[in-house]
Each structure stands twice: as structure tokens, then as C-alpha cells.
Amino acid sequence: MSECKVLLKHADVPGIETLSVYESCGGYAALKKALLEMTPEAVQKEVLDSGLRGRGGAGFPTGRKWSFLPNDGRPRILVCNADEGEPGTFKDHLLIHRLPHLLVEGMVISAYAIGAKRAYIYLRGEFLQGYELLEEAMREASEKGYLGHHILGTDYDLEIKLYRGAGAYICGEETALLDSLEGRRGIPRMKPPFPATAGLYGLPTVVNNVETLTAVVPILEKGAAWYRTMGTEKSPGTKIFSISGSVQRPGNYEFTLGTPLSEMIETAGGLPPGHTLKAVVPGGASCAYLTEEHLDVPMDYESLQAAGTMLGSGGMIVIDTTHCIVRLTKKAMSFFRHESCGKCTPCREGTLWMDQVLERLEAGRGSEADLDMLTDLSGNIAGRTFCAFGDAAVAMVASSVKYFKEDYLAHFELGGCPLEKEPVL
Amino acid sequence: MITLTINGLTVEVEPGTLVIEAAKKVGIEIPVFCYHEKMKPVAACRMCLVEIEKMGKLQPACATPVSEGMVVHTESPTAKKAQAGVLEFLLAQHPLDCPICDKGGECPLQDQAFGYGPGATRFSETKRHLHKHWTLGPLVVLDQERCIQCQRCTRFMEEIVGDPVLVLKERGAQTVVDSADGRVFDSLFGGNTIEMCPVGALTSAPYRFRARPWDITQVSTVCPHCPVGCNMTATVRDGNVMRLLSRENREIDDGWLCDRGRFGYGFLKDEARVLTPLVRRDGELRPASWDEALTRVREGLSGNVGALGGGRMSTEALAVFSRFLSEDVETNNVDWRVGGQTTALAPAGQGRIPDIDDAEAFIFLETDPMAQVPVLYLRIRKNVVHGRGAKVLNLGPRASTPLGGTDILYQPGEGAEVIAEALRGGTSYPELTRILASGQKIVILWDGTDSKLADVLRDVVEGRDAETRILVTGGYANSHGAERMGMVPRGDGLDAHGMLQAAARGELDALLVLQTDLVREAVDGRLAEEALKNVGFLAVLGHLLDETSREADVVLPLAAFAESQGTLMNIEGRAQIFEPAAAIPGECRQDWEVAMSLRDLEPNLAKAGQLMAEMLREPPAAPRGQEREAGAVMVLRSAYGKGVVPEPYLEGTVAVPKAVFEMSPRTAGSYGVSEGDEVALEGGCRLGGRVVVTGRMADGVIAVPEIPGANRLGNRITVRALEGSVSA
């Protein structure tokens, strides 16, 4: 049961990354409907009515984001955020490598909807194969008249430029992405102005995640009302969850939003025999831990927020009692320290400091006072930084102290990790 | 207007005002690091986070505009915790260098740690290590560990100067400031970054480790190097000037200094400094007493006497000298204009520096503002790039300003005709015609040399229906004062050029040289040399033993600007007082003291000041132009050349002109040279340098910078390519 394959319906069809197979599975029907039967405004309305929320992590209603573009006659830009940097997340990886045409189709429909004649894909540099697949898909699409000049014989043109990133997580933040796309250092910009009014090169720009743009295809194909039959009222539709960690069948699974956490874990094969669940990181390393108390929580945006964490990107990491929470938390903090852009004081200094402290604590050289300090430092970072990276960086560490204090204390008492075969000095 | 409440106080401000500005208006200080009044906010340091009701998170006051009814709390427990938090974070990695750091004692990080910090740190890990003596350039040394990444320096260079040479490299806590592409940080305005750095990261190379803020005194002074008259503060320790800082005057320098002024104090201790009066006996200059020296001067200045220079002296001294020369020496051969200038005053429409801010068009007439009045270039740029967006016209044989606009190139001497034609509605230069005919406010910067331009500029001012303001850039720090004190030829008196010619022919009995190295600064250096050799008696007042004073019969040593007091009149004619900061070395005397002693008066500054005030009531004379021979060579005159040279701290920096010869493509072709060729210009002397081919030079003219020997070249030259360097 459980999986609801909308985006991934044809993911396993051999050759689905090629145009001919994609078409034979019904591909580009939605594009034809949108361009030949609907106005851009109508397409926008369909997406708005569907209640689709951004799938990159922030969950902002997509139709609403599109509506912020000003009517001032300036050229509009669509940017696909394919930087997929959130640790634990590999859904966009699947979409790009297996379903490049789904992304292309979704982008053309979306660009048409917002009146953009230029679009960019900012692709994480590490996805070299994905780059080649997308290039090929775009070439095929252009040849067939689905992209380029006079798409499907209409007077709508769209050019998509594919751009590779250079390895910085912060370039997944939309304004840092735009700066990187412009050839500058990828550092977040001050908001306001928002990208809708001053985005790429100062032009009105919409930045959407890969999965968000692919979701536009089934929404246009089957309609907003159909989309809303799945998921919850505030979180309609389906989402791909990248499930990894202590499950027997890690991988990408598509569920309707609101599916309980336990069901998702089961679908991914459940924990290996003899292993007990300790914690779950629900949506990538930027999210606070959930514990076994939360097994029944519906996986949707609002429920997770109420549980003190986030749906985020849906990068779910399942942790059992044989894994050291302290080590995992420290690894996450090392990631954030490495990836901090350095602009603002709390994040730049705080991630470095906390990484140093966690290294010390993992080695058992700490006390409860250090844990209080970590909680307080987290409070001095969250909500105080230039961008959301600060909040992301402290989510795991703050929740680890809240839920797993005994694990830390065990390290201090032992002078190392109780789960290590040999003591860590 | 918008009304809001900050800490219970009501304040009314214009829409668009930032919370931090509104707070300042009611005397509430919000701590900052990255915020700087003159630059766009970046909200990076997070020090200014304040609580604003109805806004969920704390907001940076530096980047949040006010809104009607906003209620702000800058000292609530939450705000205070945020401030303490930021400081704890900054201090975590900040090296404990205070005991050896230049900034200690005048450091915003220290002050704010004391005022807003947590009192003690919880940090007990290992601090990161970076370069602690990173030589960005000859004048600026960076300690990367101390840097708090506020980006003031990088933003200043990009936003204000327009030269983004400083950049951030790496990421996160490894972020460091460095120069782009390994370039040397060699900007004429680089020193400002030292002052604005809120920690001891950017330090002054000449000042490093030289003094501590608690054993110095700060004295107000005015820069003596160019007619802008930037206000400065001299930092003095044990009677020595240790450094110069800006002393913000919004109507003049706007808080900036150029490096020529900022680092132009090294000459005070130069070994060539003359510390006692010198009198020539048996062919040698030997130390003498003031009495003896003064007597020799009084005796020597008889017969056909000329007086040159004075453009750098205090107005008080010039008042007394003026009377000395007219009443005691009885000569009309008096001239401050050794550089060939016509005037330091605007022929009409005398401008004030704030006129630059609301100009709608600029005309740079035979001047290079960046070279002659550097700090005004920043103000002009602010208008063009960030303000009104004034149009720019560059007129002359050479156009230089990197602000775009239209270049109107013409042969030397043709300027008056070009402007007159445009004023008549001519079609040769449509841009110029259009702007002159428009209702726009025009600010003209003119170097003040070609006398024909003085007349035509008067026509421009009077003929236009709109406001025209003129600033004359080619004088010295007090040329305006010199001219007002009558230090120009009276009646049929000889002008500077005439005096040198007369002296060279042996027709001048005596020459009094007032604080100028004639051999270097005269239009014709060879003529000056001849003049000094053949004049009957030569008395030189100055600071240094140079090519001019070495020829003197008497040298009277003067106290320099930082050691004396008086008044300077800047490019606007604004009188500014400078105070004595450093101890007067040796037996030097202040210039007005020497002047009064020469008149056998008891030295008394108040009396000299009264005389100055009296003479200021007289209307300025409009001096005649000096005869000039136009030719193939155009010697560029900069603020450096007009400063007291040499300047030890500026050796090898961009402040010292380099030997490059600018010429148009056609001129280069006519001499058979190309871009980058090493050539020798041969005329009255031989000067080596590199060819720069540019479309911003009139044909047939070569621009020669003010390098030693430039004024000996003369106007007829040959250009010889040096061996092994001619390109195809």
C-alpha cells in the first residue's frame, strides 16, 4: 500500500529519460493542453488552486509565489533550483536522472504561466551525468518543438540555460543562487527586495525547486481539484520522500502528504530485525529530531511544524539505537560549519564554535554545562541571522540536547562513545 | 513624515529613513560594526538587532525602514541578549591582541564589548589562525585574524571609490579580505579603509606599533597639499606627528582623505629638513643666527627685486609679506603663480564644494580632478553614480576622469574658442552647446591656467539663464589666500615667468622665494635654474634643502603646517584655521613670525590676523595671464607635485606619478611608437618612460606626468624608442 506514484509513475520504465518513451507514456500532453487550450493566467490559477507548496524545503505556496511578480512590463525569469544540497535528500537526483523530460515539461508550462521567455536550471555541479541528461532532453525537446522558438507552433518562445554550481550548499538559498548565477560569490542577498521584484540581474524572477516544477505537469494534466483529493487541506498532493538510514530498503518513495511516519518507514522496509528506532530526522539536516513518540505524526507541513520540526525537503534519515546521536549531530554541525557563507556573525562564528564543542563532547570531554551552553548559543543564532541557514544549522543540535541529553551524559561519563567498540580518546 | 516610538521616545522622520537613523535623531545610540553612514547597509554583523513590536524576529536597525506607528525597543532584555550574543560570537575567534594592537584604546569592538558585551566568554576551544601581517599594499597591512568581516573596506572601495580591489575570499569562518587577482592595494584613497575598520585588522604601515591612543594628543589641522583643504586631526606623541586622521567636514571632505594628504607628514622628519637659518659664506651655506640671516635678507632685497611663491603659506604670513614687498622692498614683481597659473579664484560664479552635490552637469575643463583635487573626485563620483546622475563633459587636450561622459579634445590654447562657439549655439560640439543652453546647474572645474578661458568663463556664467559655479583646481593649498593678499604682479610688475626670464638674463638683483622648489615647480625648470644662478641675491624660505634652496644666499627655515598655526583659504575661498600639533624642530620659525621679523615687527599672530582681515576687505585683483608657449608636451600637474616633496611614505605608491607618456593613436603613429614601448623623450632633457596609447588625448600632444625633469623637457621634443622594446 502506501506509495502514491504520481511524479514517479513512470520512473521505472526503461528509456523514460528519452523523449520517445516519455511521450509514449503520455508525456507532453499537459504541455499541449496548457499552451494550446489555456491562457497563462488560467495555468497560474490551476497551480494556485491546487495548493501546491514549494518542495525544496520552505513549503511556500507556489501559486502565491508566482502572483508576486509585478505587472511592470519587465522581462520575467524562471529559475529551477536544482542545487539539491540538503543532507539526506536525493529526490531531485532521481527526477533529473530518470525523468529529465518531466522537469523540462514542467518548466515550459510554468514559464508559460508566468510569461517568462528565459529560464535557467541551476544544477548542482556534482550531478555531471544529470547535466548531460538534461542537455540531451532539452535538445530532444527543442527538436520536437516543445522548447525554443514558437513552441508547439504558438508564438511562445522559451530558452532554458543550464548552469552548473560549484559545490556550495548556500547556493541552494534562492538569493545566493541568483548571485552565483550572475557569476558572483554565492552569498544571500538582503530581502526585501524579493526575487519577484528584483531577482536575476534585477529582473522579476521566480525560483522553484525541481520537484515543484515537475508537480505542475500532473496538476495541469488532471486538474487542481484532482490534486487536492490527495494529501491534506493545508498540504495537498504527493511528495517524494528520500528515506535513508536504518531501513531495509532505502530509496525515494512518493506518498500523499499526511501519510503517517510509521507507514513511511514500513514502506521502506522498516528497521532491520533486532534494531530499535531511536530518532528520525524528517526533512533533511536542517530539521529537528523526532523521537519514537512521534511515530504516528502525519507527514505534512503543518503537523511537523506543530511537532517542533519541519517537513523540509523530505529527506528522512531513520536512526536506530546502534547509531550515536552525538556523532550524527556533530557530523551535521561540521557540514554547517563548512557551508556557512560567513556573512553574518552568529552563523559564521556560531557554527565553528559549536562544531568545536561537539567534537570535544563526542570525545567525552564535556559537562552538562556545555549542553546548556549549546542550547543558549542555539538561541543566539536562530532568528538572529541574515538568512535561514542559521535556523537550519542549530535545529539538530538544539533538539538533540532536548531529547537525547542522556546520550551526551553517557559520553562524558565514559570519556568517549558508549557505542564505539573502542573508546574514543 | 512618519511618526514612530523608540524606547518610549516619539520621533518624526521622512519616509525611507532607517530605524538606526531615526534613533540617532533622538539621541539613542544603537551599536554597530558593519553599518556606515556613507554606504549602503548590509546587515551582516547583526549587532544592531532591535525589537520591533508586531515583527516576530529581531530586526537589523540599519536595514529596516521606519513605518507609521512603529514601536521599537533597543534596550529590552531580548535586544540586550542579542547584542551580548553577537559580541560573544565575535570575540570567540578574535585574537587577544589588544596589548599589541594599534586599535586598542580607540577600538569600537573593545568599546562595545565593554558597553554591550556579556562580560566573560564561554569559549574555551582553539582559535583559528590566519595571516597576521598580510601586506595588502605599501601603506596598508592586514591582520586577517582580527577581521570581523564587516565588509566596510570592500564596500568603500567598490561603492565610494569605484575600484573594487578589495574582495572577500574563501567562505564561512575562513573568510578573509584580500586584494583581487593579487593586485597590490594601491588606491589613492586606500588609507580611509584603515580609519573605518572597526578593529585592528587594517593598519597603517607607517603607524604600526608607533603609538597608543592614551599617550597621544589629537590636534585639529588642515591638509597643506592641495586646494581642497580637507580637515584633519594630527595624532601627536612627544611632540611628533605620528599620523593624520580625517576630521569630517561635510561641506568639504565628507570624512575622506586621499593618501597624499593622509601620509604626507613624512617630510617633517626628512633628513633634508633645514633646522637652522643658513647663510652663504665663502661659497658654502653655513648655519647662522636668525638675526644675521634676517639682516642679510633685508640687505639683499634691494634694487630690482622679485618675489615668487607663497601659495602654501598662511594667509597671515602672506598679508605681512605683501606689505613688506610693497612698502619696504617697494617692488611690484610679486607672484604666487610659479606653475604658470592665471588665477586661483573663479573668474565669476565662485563655487562652493557643496555645489558639487546638486550639480546637474560637470565640465572638467583642462583639469584632472582625481589628480588635482582627489577628495573632490569622490564627491563628484557620488553625484554621478549615486546621486543626481550629473552629466560629465571632459574638455581639454586630455580627458581622464573615469566617470564616462563625453570627451571634447582640442589643442592646447583652443579651449576658449571651443567654449565661445558652443555658447553662441555652435554645432561643433553639440553636447557642450546643449548643456550650456540648458537650464541645468553646471559646476565647472577648471585648472586656472589658460587666461583666455577666464574671460570666456565669465561670459558663460553671466550668459546662462541657469546657475553656473566654478571651482579652480590648479592652485596650491593657499593660492586663494595668496591672491587675496595681493601676491600677484601690481601695475607693470613682472609675473612669475617674467621674473625668471629677467633673473636668467641677469636683470633681477634679488629674488625672494617663498616655500616653493622653483626648479621643480616652475613651468620651465631650465629657466628656473638659470634664473637662480644669475640672480644677484637669492633668499629662500622653506622646509627642505632642495635644488632651489641649495642655490640660495640665505635660507630661512620654516615651521611646517603641523608645527604652526594660521589660516588657509581653500578652493572656495573658505578660511580655515590650522592648529600647531607637533613641536617646532630646531630653530624653525612660523611663516608669519618670519614675515613680521623681516619688517622689524614684534611677531604677533593677532596683529597679523588683523592685517589679513583688513586686506580681505579689499576686492581681489584679476591678475593677467602669463605668456605660455603651447607645444607638443603637456606636463600634468597633480596634487602630489604641488605638495611638499619628497614624501617618504608615498614612495612607490600610486600617489607618485609614474613615467608613462600618454598620446593618441595618431600621435603614436607619427612618432613610430606603439602601446607599451619604452621610449626616451629628448628635448631640454632626456626622460625615459613607457608609451600609453589612448583615445582620450588630442592629437599632437604628449602628456608627461610630473616626474623629476618633466619641466625641463620644453615643448619641442623627439621621441626615441629605446633598444629592444619597439613593438611591431
Side-chain angles (χ1 to χ4, degrees), chain A residues 167-170 184-185 187 190 337-353 356-357 360 370 372-373 376-387 391, chain B residues 41-46 49 57-58 63 78 81-90 92-93 121-128 147-149 151 158 168-175:
Chain A
Y169 167 79
I170 191 62
R184 304 171 200 265
R185 292 172 84 232
I187 307 282
M190 192 130 67
R337 162 201 174 157
H338 184 68
E339 297 291 345
S340 168
C341 82
K343 173 186 268 202
C344 77
T345 307
C347 174
R348 178 185 72 240
E349 307 296 341
T351 53
L352 171 55
W353 186 355
Q356 291 176 308
V357 171
R360 179 165 57 81
D370 286 313
D372 294 335
M373 180 177 78
D376 192 58
L377 291 181
S378 301
N380 280 343
I381 296 171
R384 306 270 179 87
T385 50
F386 188 88
C387 79
D391 307 275
Chain B
V42 286
C45 70
R46 313 313 279 179
L49 291 177
K57 298 194 294 191
L58 298 181
T78 321
K81 182 168 198 289
Q83 289 158 0
V86 169
L87 281 162
E88 190 183 26
F89 281 132
L90 284 175
Q93 286 299 330
T121 183
R122 295 171 290 184
F123 182 82
S124 59
E125 319 304 323
T126 315
K127 296 190 189 239
R128 62 160 161 58
C147 176
I148 58 170
Q149 289 88 12
Q151 297 179 63
E158 190 186 351
L168 292 177
K169 294 184 179 171
E170 301 302 327
R171 188 175 72 208
Q174 294 297 118
T175 305

Side-chain angles (χ1 to χ4, degrees), chain B residues 70-355:
Chain B
M70 195 185 245
V71 181
V72 182
H73 302 285
T74 74
E75 294 174 343
S76 67
T78 321
K80 282 191 197 273
K81 182 168 198 289
Q83 289 158 0
V86 169
L87 281 162
E88 190 183 26
F89 281 132
L90 284 175
L91 293 169
Q93 286 299 330
H94 195 76
L96 207 52
D97 280 355
C98 297
I100 57 152
C101 173
D102 285 354
K103 207 85 179 176
E106 52 181 32
C107 173
L109 181 59
Q110 275 184 341
D111 293 345
Q112 289 183 57
F114 188 74
Y116 302 95
T121 183
R122 295 171 290 184
F123 182 82
S124 59
E125 319 304 323
T126 315
K127 296 190 189 239
R128 62 160 161 58
H129 288 296
L130 298 163
H131 290 283
K132 293 188 76 62
H133 189 112
W134 190 248
T135 312
L136 282 176
L139 296 166
V140 182
V141 176
L142 167 67
D143 185 319
Q144 290 176 337
E145 279 183 6
R146 297 177 189 166
C147 176
I148 58 170
Q149 289 88 12
C150 71
Q151 297 179 63
R152 278 185 175 184
C153 56
T154 53
R155 286 147 62 205
F156 170 74
M157 289 311 299
E158 190 186 351
E159 262 177 67
I160 313 270
V161 179
D163 175 15
V165 59
L166 290 181
V167 294
L168 292 177
K169 294 184 179 171
E170 301 302 327
R171 188 175 72 208
Q174 294 297 118
T175 305
V176 290
V177 169
D178 199 356
S179 58
D181 301 330
R183 276 176 58 190
V184 172
F185 180 34
D186 197 10
S187 161
L188 191 51
F189 305 103
N192 293 296
T193 61
I194 298 167
E195 254 193 89
M196 64 173 46
C197 179
V199 295
L202 289 169
T203 59
S204 156
Y207 183 65
R208 238 167 111 93
F209 303 133
R210 291 293 177 89
R212 307 302 264 145
W214 49 84
D215 64 2
I216 57 168
T217 48
Q218 313 259 55
V219 182
S220 299
T221 184
V222 176
C223 183
H225 295 294
C226 91
V228 177
C230 296
N231 293 178
M232 304 199 288
T233 299
T235 297
V236 181
R237 181 177 187 229
D238 292 341
N240 298 311
V241 173
M242 305 305 296
R243 75 178 166 185
L244 295 166
L245 299 173
S246 155
R247 176 166 57 96
E248 184 191 44
N249 185 325
R250 294 203 175 211
E251 294 186 348
I252 302 177
D253 46 69
D254 216 15
W256 311 125
L257 292 179
C258 77
D259 283 2
R260 285 179 189 125
R262 182 185 294 279
F263 295 103
Y265 59 93
F267 77 91
L268 296 172
K269 293 268 178 258
D270 196 280
E271 54 190 16
R273 187 93 194 259
V274 182
L275 298 175
T276 72
L278 299 173
V279 166
R280 193 171 293 276
R281 261 183 251 117
D282 307 317
E284 296 262 319
L285 277 174
R286 298 175 200 281
S289 68
W290 270 98
D291 278 341
E292 185 190 339
L294 288 167
T295 309
R296 279 282 292 250
V297 171
R298 277 190 221 104
E299 288 168 359
L301 294 179
S302 61
N304 198 8
V305 180
L308 285 169
R312 299 188 178 95
M313 291 188 138
S314 67
T315 322
E316 292 85 347
L318 290 164
V320 179
F321 272 118
S322 187
R323 284 288 162 88
F324 170 66
L325 291 164
S326 62
E327 292 172 8
D328 300 353
V329 177
E330 290 179 325
T331 176
N332 288 335
N333 309 322
V334 177
D335 207 349
W336 72 263
R337 307 167 305 162
V338 294
Q341 299 94 333
T342 293
T343 180
L345 278 59
Q350 174 65 55
R352 308 278 292 176
I353 290 172
D355 283 319

